[in-house]
């Protein structure tokens, strides 16, 4: 074994790992004093897990030997695989194949391994444990990057957090982040998971893991990097061009109730708050302060994070006023600095806030006081007394003090932070987790729709609408008039005014070839304009197959929106929604959801756009038919999920959302099929 | 002297203050061993400053005695003034009057005082210095809240920052935050100022202080609380209703180049970075990492903070590749973990990045390495060697280590932070300070416009346009036709189609009384509709004075915007700008500037709105006349500043911004005069 192999052995021996350890080293009789074997094949028994720390070239054979011996799990530390280029990638593919054939599960290569403090298992060569182990606890860590995983483990230790499992997945030749996440959710000792990813290998496993987590009320706090990567691939459709992958990732994490951390510090802050395991049912926060300014600042932060700084009930205010006449008992409850001199009074005072305020969350602001050794313990006892019987509430405080003081307060169940803004962000996250857990309980998992057979290799607008109609979408009644047919008569049947559109599977962008005429008011005009459109199409697209002219009713009114489906390179089929026109083009006011999703999720999606108020009706307009819109989005998502192998993208643009009760009308449909799919 | 008076004395004696201290105490012969005087009048000489720590009731007399003795400065610690209600307010007003009459400057009451570590002057009873003093240094602190001021002083000390002056202003009976800020800018030892305010007493002094700061290249890092205070006052005009005071405050701080911190932690982070005194000319950032994931994360943060993660020049990349073939030399420059084992190579490598990259800012990511006592010093020397000769650049790094290690790196000029995201936010702030300093140098201070005499007590639309025309605004040619006059003839002279509008100083909202008719195409129609409008006005507003009917040309096209002036209760006259219609109503996409401001600032204001791209031209539209818009905004601001005593609010809604070169057209004007002003 190479040098990096020595560290796991040393860690496990120092920690007192009580399983058997069997070193393998062809050149030495003993390793750290333990008898070593010359080869994997020479092992006297089959180990539960093999740690492999040999050069890349020798790794494939070692993996094969381990599989041969019947080893069920292997961790490969070695680098020199896909991350170095094509020759390494070939070696890595061989490892993947051995895993698939043998059933042996492999972590890595190019990973820092695994550790589990509760069982003293240290299958890692990370230096983060060199000076100090990390205690067992409720936080699971899974990271594609070993360095990042080590960094947050280090920060968690500094914060006094214990770790249940620490798993780095490296190049993911076999096991990937999603599978590890799913497994971690099932570990009873894990209450919250910190995850780090640069990319996702299998979006279906990933979504399944996220859904599994929220159905089991395990919070995931996610760091996803690469958000500034603009992904410049030229896209065939309008929707695809708008779907910058990071905006999609962001929306999808919201969809599954995952907290996406904006910084590593925030990831730690939120995980720390989650580690208490209390997710408040409501968002009412009571703030206790002895200095007005801090109270105002925290109230500002609370409002910005969706918390409700509800005013104390009148009778409770009277009670507080009776105790401290000069204090301000509304909320923030400002007891003023004088209360510091009378801790029994402070206990009574805070107890009244907690007891009478009806708050889901209580936060006390204590500044540098607890940093004084003579004040830290009396204050802690005061707070314990004041909050006795309310241990199921979220009890938090801000203070500046040494780590030992923090640990003592935390041991009593308080969430303690030096920075009020960071604390409030984390408390806001707790309420959002609660909401997401509840939403998961209220709904069944969403199934994809039916698979729809599409014979053609390309679809006209009419063909696209036919396919989507079978998926439950409804379109305005239209007539296709073959070349030479009487367009005017068809228009008369539809009812004037009408729209004329060229129909061809080979013409995706009809307006660009003069293929659309609107507001046609007579049969004569319809026939003349129809002929003109056909002539232009022949001239501009001589090789296009022309089905004829589609005659459609002119539909105006309602709110113009754009709806689409795009294949995200990482997250698979996603549905996009936004308001049309300038909103989508200038403000990029769109949002996304991974397909499939139900109507309730569609409603949440719709409410996310900044221009949502327009759908509710502004400037005297009637409210739009948001229910019908949500149903369309959900139906489209189920179609997109069931037919992801055939669909490259869908544009419904514009879709008019008519007033409540009158439905939604997609006026145009563009469905681009996957090349090579079937 | 009461107990709180003892602490300043103790601090100054412990610190070795070398001035004379004269205790006053009617009941004791000595205080802390120093001979005490029975009264202020009994003092043997006139002190430079009086510290007053007597009960509120006795304070007024003590202030009077000090003024009598010719004392030039007093600091009042005592509480019990305006913050407790009306009786206290009366006492405080007496103190204000004594200050005004005597010329003695007073800080407080209800403040924690002042300290200046360099001169060992501790005119404060804050407990923050109980265990440890704070070293002298480049950071000035001014805070309305004593508790907040003490808190950030404590955090600054923990961060190794030295303080030049620490001043708390309390109730501001005389000296206010703005005056202290202005004074602090002039102190050569102060490089950056941390300020905390809950409100601003004199906006003109405040703006003057902010302008003074940026012209002197002193960064101000501001915490302003009360941002969630919705300020529900019903407002007479549309503009006023949109001007939530916090949005105004936010915009005005941007206007003056002040950094508004979102949290106390951010305030510290930015002040810490500013304390180096290096504000980079450009925003190019080079990132060095040994782990890809950290590099990506930092690049994401850099882009989000307006920094340019520019790719290394090709030849420099070649040079780096020659040193480390497996490394990634683009930017982030990822040297991979192997470079840790060869520090001379690392020095050469980093030197090449700093030397060849052309970056304004260099950041190295070092993780937990410097936390190891054997690695901290070798790495520090490596970085010193690598960056020799580039001390004028911003050199920053992230690491996890003890405070002593941080202090050693900082002594070499490195900005060091544990959290990469927080570091990048602070570095982004440095570039914005540089830009603001430069902008201040490029422009002369803006003077208000001319004072315009307004005789009337209320103005019709026509009257408002007359007044504003004198301020340099231009309006479409219009005709007022008195009741009974020939409206059709006037319309013919203007040219059809025209708009008719009731003209009355007593009717602010014309459409609400049926006072507007648009798209009038004939003389007959004009006369008929004009008569109808007048009849309706007589019916609905029987007591209104009717000047007649204004005939105006129909102007369409261009981009619809809304422009207004409102008297912010705290910041005085501010100009608002936004796109019209749904943009302003649904998206609240508006911004503000304190009046007056110049055309360059107006351009910055215009660029702030989210819908700015619409003015540049989208969907094939021509770009709008942004220059003319900026000129209108600046003219309006100068008018608003000069006539603030007369103007309650102005609404120009809509204002059509015509295509470039064709100007701007305010179609309507509503000018509401101040009640009681003249």
């Amino acid at each position: 074994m190479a040098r990096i192999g020595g560290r796991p052995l040393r860690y496990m021996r120092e920690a007192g790992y009580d399983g058997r350890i069997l070193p393998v080293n062809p050149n030495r009789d003993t390793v750290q004093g333990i008898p070593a074997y010359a080869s994997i094949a020479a092992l006297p028994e089959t180990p539960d897990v093999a740690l492999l720390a040999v050069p890349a070239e020798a790794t494939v054979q070692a993996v094969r030997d381990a599989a041969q011996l019947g080893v069920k799990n292997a961790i490969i530390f070695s680098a020199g695989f896909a991350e170095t280029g094509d020759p390494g990638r070939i070696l890595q593919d061989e490892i993947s194949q051995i895993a698939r054939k043998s059933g042996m599960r492999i972590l890595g290569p190019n990973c820092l391994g695994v550790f589990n403090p509760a069982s003293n298992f240290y299958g890692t060569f990370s230096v983060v444990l060199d000076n100090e182990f990390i205690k067992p606890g409720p936080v699971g860590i899974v990271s594609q990057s070993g360095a990042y995983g080590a960094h947050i483990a280090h920060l968690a230790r500094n914060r006094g957090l214990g770790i249940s499992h620490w798993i780095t997945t490296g190049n993911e030749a076999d096991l990937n982040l999603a599978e590890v996440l799913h497994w971690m959710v099932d570990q009873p000792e894990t209450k919250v998971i910190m995850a780090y990813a640069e990319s996702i290998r299998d979006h279906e496993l990933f979504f399944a893991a996220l859904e599994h987590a929220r159905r089991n009320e395990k919070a995931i706090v996610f760091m996803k990097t690469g958000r500034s990567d603009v992904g410049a691939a030229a896209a065939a459709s309008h929707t695809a061009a708008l779907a910058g992958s990071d905006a999609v990732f962001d929306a999808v994490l919201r969809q599954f109730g995952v907290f996406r951390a904006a910084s590593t510090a925030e990831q730690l802050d939120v995980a720390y708050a989650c580690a208490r395991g209390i997710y408040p049912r409501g968002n009412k926060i009571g703030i206790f302060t002895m200095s007005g300014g801090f109270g105002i600042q925290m109230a500002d932060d609370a409002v910005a994070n969706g918390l409700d700084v509800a005013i104390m009930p009148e009778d409770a205010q009277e009670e507080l006023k009776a105790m401290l006449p000069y204090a301000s008992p509304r909320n923030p409850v400002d007891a003023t600095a004088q209360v510091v001199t009378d801790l029994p009074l402070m206990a009574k005072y805070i107890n009244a806030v907690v007891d009478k305020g009806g708050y889901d969350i209580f936060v006390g602001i204590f500044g540098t006081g607890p940093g004084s050794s003579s004040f830290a313990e009396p204050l802690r006892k005061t707070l314990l007394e004041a909050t006795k019987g309310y241990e199921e509430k979220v009890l938090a405080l801000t203070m500046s003090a040494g780590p030992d003081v923090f640990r003592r307060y935390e041991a009593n169940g308080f969430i303690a932070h030096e920075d009020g803004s960071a604390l409030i962000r984390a408390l806001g996250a707790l309420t959002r987790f609660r909401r997401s857990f509840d939403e998961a309980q209220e709904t069944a998992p969403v199934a994809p729709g039916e698979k729809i057979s599409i014979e053609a290799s390309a679809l006209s607008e009419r063909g696209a609408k036919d396919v989507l109609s079978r998926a439950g979408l409804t379109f305005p009644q239209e007539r296709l008039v073959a070349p030479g047919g009487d367009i005017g008569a068809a228009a008369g049947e539809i009812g004037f005014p009408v729209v004329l559109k060229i129909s061809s599977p080979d013409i995706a962008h009809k307006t660009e070839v003069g293929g659309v005429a609107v507001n046609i008011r007579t049969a004569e005009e319809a026939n003349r304009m129809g002929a003109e459109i056909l002539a232009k199409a022949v001239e501009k697209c001589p090789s296009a197959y022309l089905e004829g002219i589609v005659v459609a009713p002119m539909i105006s009114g309602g709110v113009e929106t754009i709806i689409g489906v795009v294949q995200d390179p990482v997250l698979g089929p996603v549905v996009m929604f936004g308001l049309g026109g300038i909103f989508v083009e200038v403000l990029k006011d769109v949002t996304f959801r991974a397909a499939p999703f139900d109507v309730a999720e569609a409603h949440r999606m719709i409410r996310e756009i900044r221009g949502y108020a327009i759908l509710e009706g502004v400037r005297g307009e009637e409210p739009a038919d948001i229910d019908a819109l949500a149903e369309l989005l959900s139906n489209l998502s189920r179609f997109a999920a069931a037919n992801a192998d055939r669909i490259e993208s869908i544009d419904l643009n514009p879709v008019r959302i008519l007033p409540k009760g009158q439905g939604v009308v997609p006026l145009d449909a563009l469905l681009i099929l996957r090349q090579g799919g079937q």
Side-chain angles (χ1 to χ4, degrees), chain A residues 206-227:
Chain A
F206 181 58
F207 297 155
L210 302 185
E211 188 64 25
H212 189 51
R214 67 173 188 158
R215 286 187 182 274
N216 286 279
E217 307 209 347
K218 303 276 172 103
I220 298 179
V221 190
F222 212 99
M223 171 56 69
K224 164 69 170 63
T225 58
R227 63 184 195 274

Side-chain angles (χ1 to χ4, degrees), chain A residues 157-179:
Chain A
R157 178 174 52 199
N158 281 357
R159 194 67 78 88
L161 284 171
I163 288 179
S164 65
H165 314 83
W166 181 88
I167 302 177
T168 63
T169 58
N171 290 7
E172 304 190 344
D174 177 27
L175 277 165
N176 65 33
L177 182 100
E179 292 171 282

Side-chain angles (χ1 to χ4, degrees), chain A residues 105-122:
Chain A
R105 298 311 306 263
I106 296 174
L107 199 67
N110 190 28
C111 77
L112 280 187
V114 166
F115 66 79
N116 173 341
S119 67
N120 294 317
F121 179 79
Y122 291 93

Side-chain angles (χ1 to χ4, degrees), chain A residues 71-84:
Chain A
V71 175
K72 289 280 165 271
N73 305 285
I75 299 170
I76 307 177
F77 298 147
S78 329
F81 293 90
E83 81 280 7
T84 58

Side-chain angles (χ1 to χ4, degrees), chain A residues 63 67-68 71-72 97-106:
Chain A
V63 172
Q68 189 82 33
V71 175
K72 289 280 165 271
Q97 278 173 30
I98 299 168
R100 262 197 301 280
K101 282 185 193 153
S102 66
M104 181 169 75
R105 298 311 306 263
I106 296 174

Side-chain angles (χ1 to χ4, degrees), chain A residues 447-499:
Chain A
E450 272 178 49
K451 191 133 178 77
I452 291 176
S453 121
I454 303 168
E455 300 298 327
S457 62
L459 295 173
S460 64
E461 174 186 340
R462 192 180 151 80
K465 286 178 173 174
D466 279 347
V467 168
L468 292 168
S469 294
R470 283 187 275 158
L473 276 66
T474 54
F475 296 91
Q477 189 208 8
E478 296 178 345
R479 291 287 178 88
L480 172 66
V481 182
D486 188 343
I487 298 169
E493 283 165 39
I494 296 275
F496 293 100
V498 298
V499 179

Side-chain angles (χ1 to χ4, degrees), chain A residues 269-330:
Chain A
D269 291 338
V270 173
Y272 165 78
C274 292
R276 302 281 137 175
I278 299 175
Y279 300 93
R281 292 260 157 222
N283 69 341
K284 287 205 167 102
I285 183 169
I287 301 170
F288 170 85
T289 181
M290 294 174 286
S291 160
F294 287 116
I296 299 168
Q297 193 185 4
M298 185 163 284
D300 286 348
D301 286 335
V303 171
N305 282 280
L307 299 175
D308 177 10
V309 188
I311 292 169
M312 286 284 289
E314 283 297 333
D315 55 339
Q317 289 196 38
E318 290 306 318
E319 194 174 315
L320 293 175
K321 264 185 211 158
M323 283 188 245
L324 280 170
Y326 282 120
S328 166
R330 284 167 58 90

